[in-house]
Structure formats: structure tokens, C-alpha cells
Amino acid sequence: ELVMTQSPGTLSVSPGERATLSCRASKSVSNNLAWYQQKPGQAPRLLIYGASTRATGVPARFSGSGSGTEFTLTISSLQSEDFAFYYCQQYENWPPSWTFGHGTKVEMK
Amino acid sequence: QVQLQESGPGLVKPSETLSLTCTVSGSSVNGGYYWGWIRQPPGKGLEWIASLYHSGTTYYNSALKSRVNISLDTSKNEFSLELKSVTAADTAVYFCARVDIVAAGFPFDSWGQGTLVTVSS
């Protein structure tokens, strides 16, 4: 069973600072990795897919990197609207399945 | 622009069946996408439940497979979820979503707003 581990659980950052979130897969997922942002009471929003491609309308301050088992989401300069939960999610080709990490909370320092 | 809307009872008794429907607008459920259900227990993370392809082929989370059934109704442009023998552990916000099969990694690119289902007598 594939396990996605996100770290840290909580990240305290000041506005304008860089935030770096990590996601590790228990086995290689190639570049089948997505990142989502979720604010309280809202549905998740797709930020990054294919490990590094920004979804439509996502600001350039969000970037994704990595492949295989180690992935990173970087927010270059945190804005007030970026304080939220972030989840990574992998896709396995066969049989098709999707697995989410447990999430990282980005909070204001 | 695609929109998804979940509907169904907000309260289900233990041991009964949870039934939800996702109504899709702005996209055809028969249009070559995967469609899926994801849930989120209060204060916890996201869990993929199941997905189905426009052909009707279904895929389930192995942890829930014995209790879950999803189906497509192309005439109504909607898809549905059934979860049998529910317990309090099935209390969650249930989201329906569309999978972008053109994008690498098949991400969920559009989501419904979610509906809270509470399992309680």
C-alpha cells in the first residue's frame, strides 16, 4: 500500500517569507503528483499537477518540484491568502488509485 | 466552466446505506473523464473513495471496496455513491470531483462544494 508522508505537520511563516513543504512517497510515483490548497469550509483547489505544472490561474509564487519519491511545494513569498492546508496526492496507473498525504497547515507566525 | 454539486441526506443511521448524487453542469459525464468521490472526516485529511470512467468502469479504495458502489447516469448527467453498513467513522464531508485525464498524474481539477454526512442514531 502506497503511503504519502507530508512534513512538517504545521509550518509557521511570516507574510513575505518563503514556505517549503515536503511530500514523500513510500515507493516511486514518477511525476504523478499533485498539490492542493484547502481553506476552512472550502473544497480543495488544484495548485500543481505532474509534480511541477501550475494549474490554470495559480499564481507564479507557487512552484512544485521533484520526482520519484521526494517532492516539494514552494511558496516563494507568502501572501495572506496563502495561509491554509496543503495536501499532496499521488496517482497509481494500475489499478487506478489516488492517495492523499495527511496535509501541512501553513499558519501565520 | 464545469460545476459539480453533491446532494443527499445529511444524516444516516448506523448500519444503513449512505447515498449521494453529484450533478454535473458545464461538462458531460460521458465526455471522456474520470469522476470521483473523496471524503474528509471533521478535522482530518482527504481520503479517496472511488472513481469511475465515462465507460462505466469503476475503481475503489481497497479499504472501502467491500462497502462502496458508484454509478453513472448519463441521462441526468450525474454520478452517484452508495456506502453500505455505515458507522460513526463514516461521518465526513463528501466531495465529488472531476479527474483531468489529459493532465499528468490525473489530478482532480474540479470539485463540488462538499456535503456533510453525519452517521448517528
Side-chain angles (χ1 to χ4, degrees):
Chain A
E1 178 185 336
L2 181 65
V3 176
M4 307 298 291
T5 302
Q6 290 188 243
S7 61
T10 302
L11 186 61
S12 299
V13 186
S14 299
E17 290 187 341
R18 174 187 292 260
T20 302
L21 290 68
S22 295
C23 177
R24 174 178 293 178
S26 58
K27 65 179 181 180
S28 177
V29 298
S30 185
N31 69 334
N32 293 331
L33 194 286
W35 290 94
Y36 300 84
Q37 177 193 66
Q38 187 181 32
K39 297 179 181 179
Q42 296 184 15
R45 170 198 179 195
L46 177 65
L47 295 177
I48 301 285
Y49 63 89
S52 61
T53 303
R54 276 189 301 276
T56 302
V58 174
R61 63 181 181 273
F62 292 92
S63 63
S65 63
S67 66
T69 61
E70 301 282 346
F71 301 88
T72 300
L73 174 70
T74 301
I75 311 171
S76 60
S77 178
L78 266 164
Q79 306 298 302
S80 57
E81 60 267 30
D82 300 334
F83 293 101
F85 285 87
Y86 291 84
Y87 294 92
C88 63
Q89 170 254 309
Q90 70 79 35
Y91 169 76
E92 284 193 273
N93 287 318
W94 190 259
S97 67
W98 291 256
T99 305
F100 291 90
H102 293 295
T104 291
K105 180 182 181 180
V106 177
E107 65 176 21
M108 191 178 300
K109 189 174 183 179
Chain B
Q1 180 177 341
V2 60
Q3 291 187 319
L4 300 93
Q5 178 68 57
E6 304 89 351
S7 60
L11 182 64
V12 181
K13 289 182 168 57
S15 80
E16 295 190 345
T17 297
L18 178 160
S19 297
L20 295 174
T21 296
C22 182
T23 301
V24 180
S25 58
S27 181
S28 171
V29 296
N30 205 27
Y33 290 98
Y34 279 99
W35 304 91
W37 288 96
I38 301 100
R39 69 180 182 179
Q40 184 171 38
K44 296 187 178 181
L46 300 163
E47 179 182 36
W48 170 69
I49 302 171
S51 294
L52 79 168
Y53 196 43
H54 71 98
S55 62
T57 306
T58 55
Y59 303 99
Y60 298 104
N61 183 327
S62 58
L64 300 168
K65 185 174 184 177
S66 63
R67 299 194 291 130
V68 175
N69 183 61
I70 56 173
S71 59
L72 204 60
D73 188 335
T74 56
S75 67
K76 296 181 179 179
N77 211 43
E78 61 187 31
F79 59 103
S80 299
L81 170 73
E82 288 189 336
L83 180 63
K84 305 172 186 175
S85 305
V86 297
T87 69
D90 295 310
T91 293
V93 175
Y94 286 76
F95 296 99
C96 60
R98 187 183 75 172
V99 176
D100 184 353
I101 63 171
V102 175
F106 284 23
F108 295 102
D109 70 338
S110 300
W111 295 65
Q113 64 185 24
T115 187
L116 175 63
V117 179
T118 301
V119 178
S120 175
S121 56

